[in-house]
Amino acid sequence: QVQLVESGGGLVQSGGSLRLSCAASGLTLSDYAMAWFRQIAGKEREFVASVSWTGRSTYYADPVKGRFTISRDNDKNTQYLQMNSLKPEDTAVYYCAAGTSPLPRTHQSYDLWGQGAPVTVSS
């Protein structure tokens, strides 16, 4: 069964850090470009960061540049999102996504999605 499973979400104070993980099963992660998106209830899913198949290229949304770092370990079939200097406006459900040839910032072009990891940043 092909699936992506996020972990590491939770409640953190403003200025704190969290690390999200996305474990893939039933697929070979190196066949996919990976990304993180986030969504607040009632709003569109928002691009956060993406990483290429080898991990050499990364892209970030402007609001998270310099604070978030996306990475992947193809040997462990896992990708990560290190989130530092968190702000209340980072509060959302964070989704892991995988695509064989996605447009990095376009959620419709990703093939596989995790169930979401809630992140709450208190002020």
Side-chain angles (χ1 to χ4, degrees), residues 8-83:
L11 173 65
V12 64
Q13 287 190 331
S14 181
S17 298
L18 283 174
R19 188 195 197 201
L20 301 181
S21 299
C22 172
S25 58
L27 58 88
T28 302
L29 200 67
S30 57
D31 290 340
Y32 293 83
M34 302 295 294
W36 291 93
F37 288 78
R38 65 188 182 186
Q39 190 168 22
I40 301 170
K43 293 194 174 182
E44 275 206 27
R45 197 159 291 192
E46 176 188 36
F47 171 75
V48 175
S50 65
V51 60
S52 62
W53 295 258
T54 61
R56 291 179 182 172
S57 297
T58 57
Y59 302 93
Y60 295 93
D62 286 343
V64 308
K65 276 182 184 175
R67 300 189 296 121
F68 291 12
T69 303
I70 189 171
S71 62
R72 63 189 295 161
D73 186 335
N74 288 342
D75 291 337
K76 294 183 178 179
N77 252 23
T78 303
Q79 77 152 344
Y80 306 96
L81 185 69
Q82 178 66 44
M83 305 185 291

Side-chain angles (χ1 to χ4, degrees), residues 65-112:
K65 276 182 184 175
R67 300 189 296 121
F68 291 12
T69 303
I70 189 171
S71 62
R72 63 189 295 161
D73 186 335
N74 288 342
D75 291 337
K76 294 183 178 179
N77 252 23
T78 303
Q79 77 152 344
Y80 306 96
L81 185 69
Q82 178 66 44
M83 305 185 291
N84 298 330
S85 302
L86 282 161
K87 304 175 182 180
E89 51 263 44
D90 295 318
T91 296
V93 177
Y94 284 71
Y95 294 89
C96 171
T100 53
S101 56
L103 298 172
R105 300 173 186 266
T106 306
H107 68 86
Q108 296 93 334
S109 64
Y110 287 85
D111 308 305
L112 302 170

